[in-house]
Amino acid sequence: MTSIRDSFDYIVVGAGSSGCVVASRLVKDHGATVLLLEQGPLDDSMFIRMPAGVFKIMFSNSPFIKRYTSTPQKSLDGRSVVITQGNVVGGGSSVNVMAYTRGSKRDYDTWDELSGHAGWGWNDMLPYFRKQEGNIRLDNAEHSGDGPLKVSDPAYISDAANIFVRTMQKLKLRFTADFTGGELHGVGYEQSTTYQGRRHSSSDAFLKPVIGDERLTLVTEARANRILFDGKRAVGVEYLHNGKVRRATAAREVVLTAGAFATPKLLMLSGVGPADHLREFDIPVVADLPGVGQNLQDHNEIFLSLSTKGPFGYFGEDSGVKLVSNLAQYFTFGTGPITSTGSETMAFVNIDDDREAPDIQIYCIGLMWPTLTINPRNAVTLLANLVRPLSYGSVRLQSADPDADPEVNPNWMSHPEDTRRLLKAFKYLRQIATTEPFAGIIEQELSPGAGITSDEDLIAYMKRTTESNYHPVGSCRMGVENGPMTVVTADLRVKGIEGLRVMDASIMPMIISANTNATVMAVADKGVDLMIGAYTGRTAVARDHANDIVHSDPRAPFGGVKASGIGRELGAPGALELTNPKLVWQGG
């Protein structure tokens, strides 16, 4: 085995949706040497490639996800909840339901206000969405068909989904052909990050095109322990790989893209966070930032599961003769139920006032909700989640041991207005179920059951069963420089620290009104421009190395990172065929 390089221009911690964007752009566009660390394995499973495989991943003991168990939730009558996050190259984009949404114009204009009008409004973000998007249908002022991230219409639509769309129109909700142009109100078919019947993750779109570049070093199954500092400047990362603690240095910057739970954890383990909390664990304080780990938000959802009078969804499609037939169709033609994300439709409503911005997102899923313990059968599940919750939680340390999970407190339904709106949303789901043509396919209510009718009992049911929609954000919030809870400033630089930035979902000052994956990738793209000094919008050029533009010529004097690992070199320069997938050094 050749020696492992330990000096780079940049170190990126987390090869998820945002990390793949950051690493790719630094290598491809700016000729930098990059170490990309990922705690999970490679995204080389057929279940990741097949859209319907998401349910096998999410509801099994998969190595591609990490489950965080919350503290006992006072707002949920003492119940602890489990929140799943991606633990694989590509992160959430490799294990999510692939929905491509951006939220509303209002979301980003609020971000802009909270960042001191520094260039985070809808019109500032739109160029990054368009730059990344390769839409198969839309190409206009809001969309592009030319970007690397493939976005497609549903390749397969269940009967239940079509019936749901018709029913919502009977309830006077308008049909919407595009949920990503900045306006959300309506019902329609959701586009997804898929292409020709296959998932198209951030890894597929951004990382894999540069995976053979000798300037990129990707290390999987590597846990970052702490950031290394020289005074108030980040200079590297200590990480655990193959049972050995290693150190790598970054000549320019360290970028955190580990997500809303792992990023604040790593900051606090490194001495950046609330000073009093860090002292509880005898962690030397590098920067007292009380906002680290605060401002946590998520979209928690409630569900109504109903058995149907026939096969209107996906029951039985994953077993026996049907499974064999579906696999044959998929591998031969790239069509059929396996191409479905399981979530082909969505609706956005404001139940209080349909003239106001939507605050509820509704899905129709063509199966019985997998967490139910009754015998599986033909069924559909209606899901509703708050897209503008008022409840805030936190992420804190449980231990100074890097191996320990952080203490996660989502605090769902702690604000009474959230409970009121969810209760109203649940009653609206029942209204959908009793409206034709949806009512015509329903046999009976499975969960919670038709006998539960009082507000008190329904609220108790929601508290027993509410789950995450897997969109935790905000735990390292972006804000104005002098804001007491600001963690990163408008250029995504960690406040009071040189050479350290955050470019993931944790920077969101407020959760957006839809699925977060597309936004996370756009934030990362803009973050690179801010860091390199290439952003020409309303934000000033980043202070760190403002004139230190990385050369894009591949012959630039950053040198090549020679990959190390157990494998053999292939014919093309920089290619490595891996014989030990646990040790992955790609790009040399």
Side-chain angles (χ1 to χ4, degrees), residues 322-343:
K322 282 189 176 181
L323 175 60
V324 173
S325 175
N326 290 335
L327 286 170
Q329 180 179 0
Y330 180 76
F331 286 115
T332 304
F333 303 108
T335 59
I338 291 176
T339 65
S340 173
T341 65
S343 175

Side-chain angles (χ1 to χ4, degrees), residues 231-248:
K232 293 282 189 177
R233 178 171 183 80
V235 296
V237 174
E238 176 189 286
Y239 65 98
L240 181 70
H241 181 246
N242 277 355
K244 296 181 179 179
V245 175
R246 303 182 184 275
R247 290 188 171 197

Side-chain angles (χ1 to χ4, degrees), residues 529-546:
D529 281 352
L530 290 167
M531 181 168 63
I532 295 300
Y535 181 61
T536 58
R538 289 181 287 151
T539 300
V541 171
R543 280 186 257 176
D544 299 350
H545 313 295

